[in-house]
Amino acid sequence: MGNKKNAWLKFDNTKKEEIFSFCEGYKKYISDCKTERESIKEAIYLAESKGYRNLKNVISAGKSLKAGDKVYYNNMDKSLALFLIGSESIESGMRIIGSHVDSPRLDLKPNPLYEDSELSLMETHYYGGVKKYQWVTIPLALHGVVVKKDGTKIDVVVGEEETDPVVMVSDLLVHLASEQQQKKATEVIAGEDLNILVGSMPLEGEEKEAVKANILKLLKEKYDFEEEDFMSAEIEIVPAGKARDLGLDRSMVAGYGHDDRICAYTSLLALLETESTKKTSVVLLVDKEEVGSIGATGMQSRFFENAVAELMDRVGEYSELKLRRALANSKMLSSDVTAAFDPNYAGAYEKKNSAFFGKGLAFAKYTGARGKSGCNDANAEFVAWLRNVMDENDVAYQMAELGKVDQGGGGTIAYILAEYGMEVIDCGVALQNMHAPWEVASKVDIFETMRGYKAFLMAE
């Protein structure tokens, strides 16, 4: 815990109202954006309202770019790179903040719908690291997209309006659960049993699988797609409902997807509130971090490298060597969440090196597991530079690690960017209940994280 004071004590009542107001915008963002596609769509909307242009349109029009111009590069509607071009050459390096916009959830299988015992259910496959037992008996919503064979794209959202129905994964009643309760937590609910209940009313006139037939009829009427269209759909099952204030003092936010949209939002707002910089400022919002950053929309793809190459070409700076120099000369914040100390589970933490609610932006010099396996371990020189930047801008910050050495661990996108030779460190907001359907964060930490990101982007 060190000598760091609680960040709330820095602010008078007027500033506290500003913090609460900022977090209202954040609450709306995570309430509305529960998938990668929704997050990227909203980010583009906000960016365009601040004068950002589609880099692909700039390229197709053959236009050039200069210092002060603002552009974005959309990768398959699931990842995004935003650039504010600085007054110095891109070759001299960029200031990059990278977050991910995917979160643990349940995904519908390609052939999900079935009927059993006159109930209609849908099969799911969980995505990312979850405690499966946390996903039963809570209201769930469907978010996603269905793409028909002719290319028609249909957005699906069910369960978020007060008048909407919700879906749910059932659990065994306690009266019959003597055997179930003897199992390990990892076995209480099997992955193949995370099937969502979607209907129980048969369609009149149907003799076979009438309940399933009724669900298909309703989907056809509302969304105009057939059962076979599930094969080309991406529908995610997420907790239903809006983010809420937590605590009698309203000092915290409970919501789905803090990991890692809390860092996506704060980094995005930090960039959009910045009008000019010396170093080119970049915010990355990427997909697939929760499953290893793989695929065309994950950080291990070349989409960011390609976007920087295209940007440098429009500025008139491109060469393969200059691109490599630009990446190697850059500094990056891998903006991802960390664990906040929880006194209910104190045994999992080493208190002196833990993050705490109210202590501001949390830096993690390394992540990884046990013997720092799989980690990016930031250089001491970079950490010292960041300390100076934060102190000069009066940003509350703390240094932390993810629990006790042999307790477990985790990873981020940091090591992927570090492969270019740039300086990288993990930093973000500390959470309780990480990867649970409802996670918790401190409002003052959210605000200070935004301020810290802005200070980093402005730093020389």
Side-chain angles (χ1 to χ4, degrees):
M1 199 181 304
N3 297 317
K4 296 282 187 181
K5 291 183 178 180
N6 194 301
W8 284 112
L9 300 176
K10 291 199 313 176
F11 301 116
D12 59 20
N13 288 336
T14 300
K15 197 68 176 180
K16 287 176 183 176
E17 286 301 316
E18 183 182 344
I19 294 170
F20 277 73
S21 177
F22 179 82
C23 288
E24 287 303 305
Y26 170 63
K27 283 161 57 181
K28 184 178 187 308
Y29 176 78
I30 58 166
S31 297
D32 294 343
C33 303
K34 293 189 175 181
T35 69
E36 316 86 90
R37 290 177 183 267
E38 291 168 347
S39 301
I40 297 304
K41 182 179 180 180
E42 180 66 10
I44 290 173
Y45 170 78
L46 293 173
E48 288 183 340
S49 72
K50 292 289 188 177
Y52 280 75
R53 293 179 288 160
N54 190 330
L55 178 56
K56 293 177 183 178
N57 292 341
V58 173
I59 295 166
S60 63
K63 295 182 179 179
S64 59
L65 294 171
K66 62 185 185 307
D69 284 342
K70 306 170 183 178
V71 292
Y72 66 84
Y73 188 94
N74 179 7
N75 182 34
M76 302 183 184
D77 294 333
K78 289 184 172 182
S79 50
L80 187 71
L82 302 107
F83 301 91
L84 170 58
I85 302 175
S87 58
E88 296 184 0
S89 69
I90 299 174
E91 181 185 352
S92 70
M94 299 166 283
R95 299 286 180 262
I96 305 167
I97 308 177
S99 313
H100 65 91
V101 289
D102 61 315
S103 295
R105 60 180 189 258
L106 307 180
D107 286 342
L108 286 191
K109 290 187 177 184
N111 296 297
L113 188 62
Y114 70 100
E115 181 173 330
D116 189 341
S117 307
E118 297 189 50
L119 296 175
S120 186
L121 301 100
M122 290 184 181
E123 294 184 313
T124 72
H125 193 136
Y126 65 90
Y127 173 96
V130 301
K131 292 180 176 179
K132 296 186 288 292
Y133 64 80
Q134 293 178 333
W135 287 79
V136 301
T137 73
I138 62 172
L140 299 170
L142 291 80
H143 287 240
V145 63
V146 178
V147 184
K148 300 171 75 170
K149 286 190 294 184
D150 64 2
T152 302
K153 191 176 293 187
I154 304 164
D155 292 322
V156 175
V157 179
V158 181
E160 297 298 349
E161 298 296 329
E162 289 186 7
T163 55
D164 279 358
V166 296
V167 297
M168 186 176 288
V169 179
S170 63
D171 193 11
L172 185 63
L173 64 161
V174 68
H175 309 74
L176 302 178
S178 58
E179 291 185 9
Q180 182 195 49
Q181 293 189 108
Q182 302 305 311
K183 296 180 180 179
K184 296 189 299 182
T186 55
E187 299 171 350
V188 168
I189 303 293
E192 286 292 348
D193 294 336
L194 290 170
N195 306 312
I196 56 172
L197 180 61
V198 298
S200 65
M201 184 188 299
L203 180 64
E204 289 187 25
E206 289 288 329
E207 295 184 3
K208 185 178 180 181
E209 295 191 322
V211 179
K212 174 184 173 181
N214 193 41
I215 296 299
L216 288 171
K217 176 176 177 288
L218 293 171
L219 291 173
K220 177 66 175 177
E221 291 174 350
K222 185 173 178 62
Y223 293 107
D224 190 29
F225 70 84
E226 312 286 347
E227 183 176 8
E228 66 176 16
D229 292 320
F230 277 115
M231 291 189 289
S232 53
E234 294 174 4
I235 298 181
E236 303 175 11
I237 312 303
V238 300
K242 299 181 184 300
R244 301 283 298 273
D245 286 343
L246 181 70
L248 302 183
D249 56 3
R250 297 183 179 271
S251 63
M252 296 164 283
V253 177
Y256 166 69
H258 283 329
D259 182 8
D260 184 35
R261 297 183 190 111
I262 200 167
C263 295
Y265 183 80
T266 47
S267 59
L268 177 63
L269 267 288
L271 179 64
L272 297 186
E273 292 180 8
T274 302
E275 287 300 321
S276 63
T277 56
K278 287 190 174 182
K279 298 290 186 181
T280 292
S281 296
V282 185
V283 163
L284 287 171
L285 307 177
V286 299
D287 184 23
K288 295 292 191 290
E289 191 276 344
E290 296 293 359
V291 291
S293 295
I294 40 68
T297 56
M299 199 64 241
Q300 293 201 51
S301 75
R302 295 289 183 90
F303 99 90
F304 174 56
E305 184 179 327
N306 293 343
V308 175
E310 295 282 10
L311 182 76
M312 294 181 75
D313 182 62
R314 291 299 93 197
V315 174
E317 283 190 41
Y318 178 76
S319 74
E320 179 65 19
L321 181 58
K322 288 182 177 181
L323 172 62
R324 292 177 182 274
R325 287 173 177 167
L327 293 167
N329 290 333
S330 294
K331 289 182 169 64
M332 183 199 176
L333 301 181
S334 170
S335 54
D336 209 338
V337 296
T338 191
F341 183 83
D342 186 341
N344 282 333
Y345 304 97
Y349 302 85
E350 195 270 285
K351 203 167 186 179
K352 206 154 63 70
N353 287 286
S354 293
F356 290 82
F357 277 175
K359 303 291 185 177
L361 173 61
F363 287 97
K365 188 176 184 294
Y366 50 84
T367 53
R370 297 175 177 86
K372 295 187 179 182
S373 176
C375 80
N376 167 72
D377 201 339
N379 290 337
E381 293 86 349
F382 185 38
V383 177
W385 181 85
L386 284 166
R387 289 174 57 206
N388 186 56
V389 170
M390 296 301 129
D391 287 340
E392 283 187 344
N393 289 275
D394 191 31
V395 175
Y397 68 94
Q398 54 188 320
M399 296 296 295
E401 63 178 6
L402 191 64
K404 285 184 175 178
V405 172
D406 284 330
Q407 195 70 30
T412 67
I413 66 171
Y415 75 97
I416 301 168
L417 277 299
E419 289 180 357
Y420 290 112
M422 68 177 72
E423 297 273 24
V424 183
I425 192 170
D426 287 297
C427 73
V429 181
L431 302 181
Q432 288 187 358
N433 307 352
M434 193 192 300
H435 279 217
W438 290 90
E439 300 168 314
V440 179
S442 162
K443 288 183 177 180
V444 74
D445 293 343
I446 299 170
F447 187 74
E448 287 294 87
T449 295
M450 185 275 293
R451 293 184 64 243
Y453 289 163
K454 194 170 183 179
F456 170 77
L457 294 175
M458 296 291 292
E460 297 182 11

